[in-house]
Amino acid sequence: MRLHRLDITAFGPFGGAQTVDFDALSAAGLFLLHGPTGAGKTSVLDAVCYALYGAVPGARQSGQGTTLRSDHAAPATRTEVSLELTVAGRRLELTRQPPWERPKKRGTGTTLDKAQSLLREYDPARGVWKDLSRSHQEIGEEITQLLGMSREQFCQVVLLPQGDFARFLRADAEARGRLLGRLFDTHRFAEVEKRLAERRRTTEARVREGDTALLADAHRMQQAAGDAMELPELAPGEPGLAEAVLTAAAVARSTAREQLAVAHSRLAAAESAQSAAERALDAVREVARLQRRFAQAREDAARLEERADAHREAQARMELGRKAEKVAPALELREAAETEHRRAAAAEARARALLPERLAGEGAAGLAAAARRAAEELGGLESARRAERRLTGLVAERADADRQERADEDVLQESGTWLAAWDTTRAGLQARIESAQEAATRAEQLAVRREPAQARLKAARLRDRLAGDTDDARRRAHASGERALRAKAHWLELKEQRLNGIAAELAGNLVDGEPCAVCGATAHPAPARKVAGHVDREAEERALAAHQEADERRAEDERRLGAVREALAAATAEAGDTPAARLAEEAAELERQLAEARRDASALHPAREELRAAEEERERRLADRRQAEVRSAARLTRRDALDREEAALEEELAQARGGAGSVAERAAHLERRTALLTDAADAARAAEESAERLKDADGRLAEAAFRAGFDTPRAAAAALLDDAAHRELQRRLDARQSEEAAVRAVLAEADTAAAAQQPPADLAAAERAAAEAARRLREAASARDAASRRCAELDRLSRQAAAGTRRLAPLREEYDRVARLASLTAGTAADNGRKMRLESYVLAARLEQVAAAATVRLRRMSSGRYTLVHSDDRAGRGRSGLGLHVVDAWTGRERDTATLSGGETFFASLALALGLADVVTDEAGGVRLDTLFIDEGFGSLDDQTLDEVLDVLDSLRERDRSVGIVSHVADLRRRIHAQLEVVKGRSGSAVRQRGVD
């Protein structure tokens, strides 16, 4: 990194615009920054730091925002810092403006403007500056990536504050650890310690959880074993718990199997005894059953003998019933004839009751003749019926004519009213048509305006979306650029490592007796050997491929960013700067007006149709009025013809009605009379015929009863059985016969008769003996089942415990390994002799590198007397590995750096600062720092030491560096020709450059 130019405006003590030309100052390699106290020497360095990181160093960080502004500045002058520098081969310009409380452009008072930042890069091909970013975050990330250092590291490495390093020399291990931790960012190693500790706690908890589950299985096994199992007296997490549980489980399983064998033997004996008891019980039950069977048969035989008379009576009744069945058809025929005769006589009586008294005594022939005479009289009334129906039609026609007359009058009145308002109706419809036509014209005009408005709204929304996409694309391009830089750095690092070890790679191809490809010698007494971590050609090529892939991805992301920016520019050109919300409101208002106009225009067709329908309605009403007038004239002629026809029909009907009220009434009377006479004649004939059939049935019944052996038909009817009585009687006879056969069969059984000769069976005693044997069998089976379940449960729990032990073994090994690593990194392990934490170990290595780099310059500054070394010894109860001692070559002793004098402390701290700058620079990726600043401390040196220190600083030019010394020492103004003087005054400070071209 090389600084070229610094422009300061209204910053700190500088009220106006000041410019520092670092190119001119750096030409001499060593330049002096001096001035009176309070003039603003440190403010120049603050401006450099603020331009790079947007913040000032160290304790002055509270001076941010509006407090960075100079109190000497004019109200209209804005605070600004601009720095031009070259870093990583790129020439950049950084411009930053802190928040500014300026006077309002209108009215009184002030307003606050936000902070602004600008990053530009010089394009040497085109000779112009191009903008890279205006984002504070993007600029900060870009600078941090290019420099490879945070603000704190930059302030320690580039702006070397000697007071801080003097305190670093005298500080204890904890203070040194905090400073080195910030510089080298060893937080990740502390995180490793924390992660290992957390992982140890996690695995320990999982091991304890597994042991707890194992102990729970052991408790369940103890319960299953009946408390015959002894549990190990070990807590979860203690060693040997799994082996103790598995051993106790094996003992419990062996005991349970012995108990199961005993239970099997007892069950077999109980089963034999129970079988014998069951056989004895079955024999007693059989004897008791046969004795009860014989006794029951004797009782049934006695009961049958008692009911013998009733059985004989039933047999006689059954025999009479069979004889009466021969007379049953004649009885049924006589009953049917009698029923039919009674029904016919009743119908005849009902029919004769409806006839006049003069016809009640007539026979069937007389009644039929009277019916024929009434029918002939009814046929003569047909002509009168037609006349009566015509008269009824005339009345209906007259009523219809009256109704049509009233309807025509309503039509004439309504048509007259409607036609009177025709002119007003037509004018209103024509006005609606004209209004709708105007709305249609307005809708066409609005439709023409809608498409551009929608296109502009769409472009505005695209513009807003592309603005977000641009930010995303910029971030992706920035991220891919960072990845490309890291890949390139990794490739260069591997390439450098390979070049450093190329001798070993070439030595791998040497063959004794064959010439070397480098020197040509055939003897190879000491060929170089590959060290650990040697980089071969394949690793370098893989890193190169990764670098090329990352660079292609970076180029693709930059092309995408350019495409998005072009699309954003096109959308902005089309949409302008108007917000999308406002354009959306305008488009919505235009849509609303267009919808309203279209809605009004949509009434044009209905209005035209309504006018056409109204005109058709007018024509229809005119035609209806004319037709009503014609119908009124025709009705007068028709009414006269109806009156004449009605008079003729009335005269004809008066003669046909006779004494009745109407022809229909007269005809109805004759119809009823004819029907009554016909029914009475039919009923009289039916009664006569049924009487003849009844007489014939009585004769046949008497003959059938005599043949069957009955004295009278009544006796035969009494002996006849119906179906239900016959079935019941037959069932009783069959049941008696079956019972007699069953009793005889039982009494004839030999085994039943033999059992009856034995003493009564004692069934209760046999059942008690069988129940006792069954109880013993159940107890034995329960004991056998319990023993079997105990064995099965112990086997299952043992398998479960064994499986849990196998699953827990890798976890326990992991816990032992993690616990050992966590203790080692935390400094508490027994094999960590110095009790150093991992972070302290890393910091000790970095401190060793810093001490080695500082010693190179310290030996020159002290004329070879002093050497800085680091110590791993613990200081009291503090952390070990961060001790810093100085070796005095004059005495050969090693002593603490706190024993150095003031001047010795200064050049020792200066050497330490320069060494730390080299180490941090290498740690940050090897970014070259071409400009350094050293602040104060030179006044404590004598002339000789000052010359030696200046020689060391002047030697930095060998690495093409320029060093700026900030000091009040007057002798330095004589020794260093290139100077930047800060002069203070009432209107603010100013800078002057001396001794430069």
Side-chain angles (χ1 to χ4, degrees), residues 826-847:
T828 59
D831 50 355
N832 190 341
R834 298 186 179 276
K835 304 301 179 184
M836 291 180 64
R837 291 172 42 231
L838 177 62
E839 185 182 13
S840 300
Y841 178 78
V842 174
L843 292 177
R846 293 292 187 266
L847 183 59

Side-chain angles (χ1 to χ4, degrees), residues 209-343:
E209 182 180 354
D211 285 349
T212 302
L214 189 61
L215 279 178
D217 291 339
H219 282 289
R220 286 192 285 271
M221 284 189 282
Q222 185 183 36
Q223 294 174 357
D227 296 331
M229 173 181 171
E230 295 183 0
L231 296 179
E233 297 180 355
L234 295 174
E238 294 186 13
L241 176 62
E243 291 76 7
V245 170
L246 294 179
T247 301
V251 173
R253 290 197 306 275
S254 177
T255 303
R257 289 191 178 91
E258 293 177 358
Q259 294 174 351
L260 178 60
V262 173
H264 274 298
S265 299
R266 291 178 179 175
L267 178 61
E271 287 176 347
S272 299
Q274 195 268 344
S275 298
E278 286 293 332
R279 288 192 298 272
L281 177 61
D282 291 341
V284 172
R285 283 176 177 170
E286 181 61 20
V287 171
R289 185 186 67 80
L290 293 175
Q291 290 176 347
R292 289 194 302 271
R293 179 179 176 82
F294 185 80
Q296 184 65 38
R298 296 290 297 271
E299 292 177 1
D300 292 342
R303 187 173 60 256
L304 290 174
E305 184 62 30
E306 292 175 357
R307 295 185 298 185
D309 294 340
H311 176 61
R312 288 190 288 272
E313 291 178 357
Q315 286 178 334
R317 181 74 179 86
M318 178 61 75
E319 183 63 25
L320 287 175
R322 289 193 184 98
K323 292 179 179 180
E325 288 178 355
K326 299 177 180 179
V327 188
L331 285 172
E332 293 175 359
L333 180 60
R334 199 270 175 189
E335 288 178 359
E338 185 179 8
T339 301
E340 182 181 1
H341 177 64
R342 285 196 300 269
R343 188 164 52 246

Side-chain angles (χ1 to χ4, degrees), residues 394 397-398 401 633-648:
L394 291 177
E397 288 183 11
R398 185 184 296 277
R635 272 194 302 274
L636 294 176
T637 303
R638 179 60 178 167
R639 187 176 286 115
D640 292 342
L642 292 175
D643 290 343
R644 290 190 298 269
E645 186 179 1
E646 183 179 2

Side-chain angles (χ1 to χ4, degrees), residues 12-54:
F14 303 102
Q18 303 294 324
T19 298
V20 178
D21 187 355
F22 285 110
D23 285 338
L25 293 172
S26 300
L30 195 65
F31 63 91
L32 177 66
L33 174 59
H34 67 93
T37 302
K41 299 184 298 297
T42 305
S43 295
V44 175
L45 307 183
D46 290 348
V48 173
C49 184
Y50 180 74
L52 291 172
Y53 294 98

